[in-house]
Amino acid sequence: MKARAQELKASARRGSRAAKAAEEEAAVVAKIAEMQDSDRVMAERLHAVIKESVPELAPKLWYGMPAYAMDGKVVCFFQSAQKFSARYATFGFSDRANLDDGAMWPASYALKELTDEDAARIGALVKKAVK
């Protein structure tokens, strides 16, 4: 919660929209750089895949995690394994993501590594999520 409070305080600072966007992306890149090797490698790759797949998504920190937002609302996020002492990292979607498929669908995915096939699947899911 402390991380979220700091994020909100930082976003309230005055400045141009472009300056705020650059600050938020720099904060995401810095958070990724702090991660352990395996999580950092996946997070860097996810960051590149998301920016390439849906460039209009804005990187930002969300509860201390790298996240990507549309119109200020988080669509997807990466949760490192280290943050919660878990055996795998998680790539998840918020309720803003348009992934509805019947009465039940996956909203997050466990990641132990990120293959080319996985990266392509995530890119497609992120595109679908913002339609």
Side-chain angles (χ1 to χ4, degrees):
M1 293 307 289
K2 287 181 185 179
R4 183 67 180 143
Q6 289 174 337
E7 293 159 12
L8 291 171
K9 188 175 180 179
S11 70
R13 290 187 197 125
R14 291 207 165 108
S16 72
R17 184 174 294 204
K20 282 184 181 181
E23 280 181 26
E24 288 180 342
E25 182 161 8
V28 167
V29 170
K31 182 58 76 173
I32 290 170
E34 294 173 4
M35 293 178 185
Q36 244 175 15
D37 288 345
S38 60
D39 287 343
R40 183 181 39 75
V41 169
M42 284 190 290
E44 287 171 344
R45 184 132 186 239
L46 279 170
H47 183 73
V49 166
I50 293 166
K51 286 186 59 89
E52 181 181 314
S53 300
V54 187
E56 58 270 21
L57 282 179
K60 65 185 284 176
L61 288 179
W62 186 57
Y63 296 99
M65 297 177 285
Y68 301 86
M70 177 76 74
D71 300 325
K73 305 292 183 182
V74 171
V75 174
C76 58
F77 59 91
F78 176 76
Q79 180 179 309
S80 72
Q82 178 186 9
K83 183 171 179 77
F84 295 101
S85 301
R87 67 183 180 94
Y88 53 80
T90 304
F91 180 72
F93 293 93
S94 75
D95 61 336
R96 300 278 180 190
N98 297 317
L99 296 173
D100 303 34
D101 184 20
M104 185 173 89
W105 59 91
S108 65
Y109 296 84
L111 299 173
K112 290 198 82 154
E113 64 179 283
L114 192 57
T115 66
D116 291 341
E117 183 179 317
D118 298 330
R121 184 173 177 203
I122 287 171
L125 282 168
V126 172
K127 283 181 185 177
K128 181 180 178 185
V130 298
K131 283 186 179 177

